[in-house]
């Protein structure tokens, strides 16, 4: 028998496999791989995807200590890094100084970073917002940008991100005109997520947009030029006015999935917007409705100040010959009143190819079984529709 020899398999791994292994590890453990062998000593310094969070350092009961250790770790890591950086993600509950962020982003801008995610989670940071580091706007090779907890103010003369395809802004503040200009100055945008505080209407011009999420407190959203839009998720708020879309109808021929969250079918400004959007989406295939209302008693009081919706709204306002020609799946949740049921009746009666409708009432809704009986007796345009309850 020959002598048994130990073979160093890990040192012979291809660079592509080494990179995959390192990206699957927490970045602190990726650095520790330097002890595996001579070949692995500086492999971590060539990683192209960098993800930092509070677990990157030893946690301390003293927030300032954790912050200082995290800042030092990221700074040392970047200083020793060699090669391109494709993705940089920072998510922390600890305070990071503007100066440190600026320093890191200046470094990243010189590395032609392509994906940048900064989550400063202002809800965990005493509601403090971070000023967007100016160096972000020098990262002209970005294809993805996600900012959480930032106040966004681009510098004067900023002409947009020419390569950006995905833009997400959550939990921060930004003037609506700044958002509109940012979107229009990024011609390749395919995905937009805006969950921010704003008391204005929003107009979106994005010729390549395919996926849109809009939430919190916009008064209105007008999709002026979104010919390729496929998926849309919209959160309604008490501030919603919905005065733009009905005035200037635009067809959305590519729109196949719509999700309305927090809609109140008793409010004219909301249901009018929904009706117009549905009428202008001839190829819709899936519809998601969440009628959950955060307020209960206060809703009825506020309805006094808004035009109320009659129960026959959908029958009266919808053209008699309208049908959802391609709608196959509908999910309706948190139903609680007759207005919600009237919308179900409308959908069932105008959807000849509908395959599945899921219906779930609020737990506090007293007429659950009556609701089931009512829905089952609604006229069905589709002979094969499967209506499921309480899933």
């Amino acid at each position: 028998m020959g002598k048994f020899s130990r073979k160093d398999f890990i040192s012979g791994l291809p660079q592509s496999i080494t990179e995959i292994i390192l990206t699957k590890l927490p970045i602190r453990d990726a650095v520790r791989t330097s002890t595996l062998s001579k070949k692995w000593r500086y492999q971590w310094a060539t990683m192209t995807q960098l993800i930092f969070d509070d677990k990157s350092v030893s946690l301390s009961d003293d927030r300032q200590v954790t912050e200082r250790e995290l800042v030092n770790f990221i700074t040392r890591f970047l200083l020793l890094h060699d090669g391109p950086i494709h993705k940089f993600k920072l998510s922390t509950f600890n305070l990071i100084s503007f100066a440190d962020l600026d320093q890191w982003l200046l470094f990243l801008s010189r590395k032609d970073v392509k994906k940048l995610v900064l989550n400063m989670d202002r809800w965990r940071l005493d509601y403090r917002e971070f000023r967007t580091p100016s160096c972000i706007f020098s990262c002209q090779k970005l294809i993805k940008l996600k900012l959480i907890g930032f106040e966004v103010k681009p510098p004067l003369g900023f002409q947009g991100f020419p390569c950006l395809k995905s833009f997400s802004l959550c939990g921060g503040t930004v003037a609506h005109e700044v958002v509109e200009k940012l979107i229009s100055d990024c011609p390749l945008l395919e995905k937009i997520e805006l969950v921010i505080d704003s008391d204005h209407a929003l107009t979106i011009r994005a010729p390549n947009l395919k996926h849109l999420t809009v939430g919190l407190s916009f008064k209105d959203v007008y999709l002026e030029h979104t010919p390729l839009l496929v998926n849309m998720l919209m959160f309604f708020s008490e501030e919603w006015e919905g005065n733009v879309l009905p005035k200037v109808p635009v067809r959305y021929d590519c729109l196949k999935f719509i999700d309305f969250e927090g809609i109140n079918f008793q409010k004219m400004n909301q249901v009018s917007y929904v009706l117009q959007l549905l009428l202008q989406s001839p190829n819709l295939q899936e519809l998601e409705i969440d009628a959950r209302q955060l307020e209960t008693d206060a809703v009825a009081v506020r309805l006094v100040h808004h035009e109320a919706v009659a129960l026959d709204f959908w029958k009266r306002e919808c053209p008699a010959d309208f049908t959802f020609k391609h709608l196959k799946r509908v999910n309706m949740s948190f139903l609680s009143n007759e207005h919600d049921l009237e919308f179900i009746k409308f959908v069932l009666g105008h959807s000849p190819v509908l395959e599945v409708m899921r219906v779930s009432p609020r737990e506090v809704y007293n007429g659950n079984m009556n609701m089931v009986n009512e829905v089952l007796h609604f006229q069905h345009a589709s002979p094969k529709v499967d209506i499921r309850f309480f899933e």
Side-chain angles (χ1 to χ4, degrees):
M1 294 178 63
K3 289 185 177 181
F4 174 76
S5 61
R6 296 181 59 189
K7 188 173 181 179
D8 184 2
F9 289 100
I10 197 168
S11 294
L13 291 173
Q15 182 64 32
S16 58
I17 301 299
T18 301
E19 172 79 8
I20 292 174
I21 293 174
L22 290 173
T23 56
K24 297 295 183 182
L25 295 172
I27 201 161
R28 180 170 61 173
D29 293 337
V31 173
R32 289 171 175 168
T33 61
S34 60
T35 62
L36 292 176
S37 69
K38 289 182 178 180
K39 184 176 179 181
W40 278 74
R41 186 173 183 182
Y42 295 110
Q43 289 288 351
W44 62 269
T46 63
M47 293 173 61
T48 60
Q49 301 186 49
L50 310 182
I51 300 177
F52 298 95
D53 56 30
D54 292 330
K55 296 179 182 179
S56 300
V57 296
S58 300
L59 295 178
S60 169
D61 293 334
D62 188 331
R63 176 180 287 183
Q64 291 184 343
V65 172
T66 302
E67 176 195 354
R68 186 165 57 252
E69 288 190 10
L70 181 61
V71 167
N72 291 337
F73 179 74
I74 295 175
T75 300
R76 289 198 305 270
F77 191 105
L78 294 179
L79 287 174
L80 293 172
H81 190 273
D82 182 26
I85 296 176
H86 297 156
K87 176 181 178 180
F88 181 90
K89 179 179 179 180
L90 171 62
S91 179
T92 179
F93 298 152
N94 293 287
L95 297 173
I96 301 294
S97 71
F98 298 132
D100 291 316
L101 274 176
D102 277 327
Q103 180 184 10
W104 300 336
L105 289 162
L106 177 60
F107 177 86
L108 292 172
S109 68
R110 295 169 178 170
K111 291 279 189 174
D112 290 336
V113 63
K114 292 178 173 57
K115 297 181 180 180
L116 180 61
V117 180
L118 299 178
N119 179 3
M120 308 311 290
D121 201 345
R122 69 188 180 113
W123 305 111
R124 299 291 186 93
L125 298 176
D126 303 321
Y127 300 95
R128 175 184 176 183
E129 288 181 353
F130 281 76
R131 171 183 54 82
T132 306
S134 58
C135 289
I136 282 183
F137 302 101
S138 298
C139 300
Q140 290 292 289
K141 296 296 181 67
L142 282 176
I143 61 174
K144 176 180 178 179
L145 175 61
K146 184 169 186 176
L147 301 175
I148 302 177
F150 281 84
E151 177 188 10
V152 179
K153 289 185 178 180
L156 291 175
F158 177 66
Q159 298 298 315
F161 297 103
C163 304
L164 196 66
K165 293 185 176 182
S166 176
F167 176 55
S168 180
L169 186 59
C170 304
T173 58
V174 56
H176 74 284
E177 61 270 18
V178 171
V179 174
E180 292 177 352
K181 189 174 188 308
L182 269 173
I183 292 173
S184 62
D185 285 346
C186 301
L188 299 185
L189 272 178
E190 296 179 359
K191 181 179 180 180
I192 297 174
E193 180 184 20
L194 299 172
V195 186
I196 57 178
D197 293 321
S198 176
D199 58 355
H200 291 82
L202 177 67
T203 299
I204 296 179
R205 305 173 189 87
N208 290 294
L209 183 64
K210 296 179 181 178
H211 308 278
L212 174 65
T213 298
V214 180
L216 282 192
S217 56
F218 286 105
K219 288 187 175 181
D220 201 348
V221 176
Y222 175 40
L223 308 176
E224 183 179 276
H225 185 52
T226 56
L228 301 182
L229 186 62
V230 176
N231 298 312
M232 179 179 182
L233 168 58
M234 178 175 293
F235 296 85
F236 287 93
S237 69
E238 287 300 312
E239 292 78 13
W240 183 265
E241 292 182 357
N243 294 322
V244 178
L245 182 61
K247 295 179 181 179
V248 191
V250 178
R251 279 174 63 94
Y252 308 104
D253 290 326
C254 294
L255 192 54
K256 295 181 179 180
F257 175 84
I258 298 177
D259 186 349
F260 293 122
E261 298 284 329
I263 184 170
N264 188 337
F265 284 104
Q266 300 179 66
K267 289 192 173 183
M268 182 63 74
N269 53 11
Q270 294 187 19
V271 296
S272 295
Y273 186 94
V274 169
L275 174 60
Q276 292 299 322
L277 186 59
L278 294 178
L279 292 178
Q280 304 304 326
S281 306
N283 297 307
L284 187 65
Q285 296 180 5
E286 188 169 349
L287 182 61
E288 189 96 18
I289 300 288
D290 186 327
R292 177 173 4 203
Q293 300 296 316
L294 298 180
E295 301 85 357
T296 53
D297 296 337
V299 169
V301 175
R302 277 193 290 271
L303 283 173
V304 175
H305 303 288
H306 295 273
E307 185 180 355
V309 177
L311 287 175
D312 65 346
F313 169 85
W314 300 99
K315 180 179 180 180
R316 186 181 69 250
E317 298 296 332
C318 181
D321 60 347
F322 171 77
T323 59
F324 293 102
K325 293 182 176 63
H326 304 282
L327 186 62
K328 294 183 178 180
R329 305 182 70 85
V330 177
N331 294 327
M332 299 277 298
S333 58
F334 289 90
L335 309 183
S336 62
N337 55 63
E338 289 296 320
H339 289 81
D340 299 342
L341 294 181
E342 285 298 316
F343 181 74
I344 293 179
K345 181 193 293 186
F346 162 69
V347 173
L348 284 173
H350 292 79
S351 306
V353 298
L354 188 63
E355 296 176 357
V356 177
M357 172 175 275
R358 292 185 173 89
V359 180
S360 301
R362 286 182 58 178
E363 294 180 2
V364 298
Y365 185 42
N366 296 324
N368 283 350
M369 294 313 300
N370 290 336
M371 180 206 70
V372 171
N373 291 330
E374 277 194 73
V375 172
L376 290 176
H377 284 87
F378 288 156
Q379 182 179 351
H380 305 165
S382 172
K384 61 179 181 180
V385 60
D386 179 13
I387 303 178
R388 305 173 185 177
F389 297 92
F390 311 110
E391 286 192 354

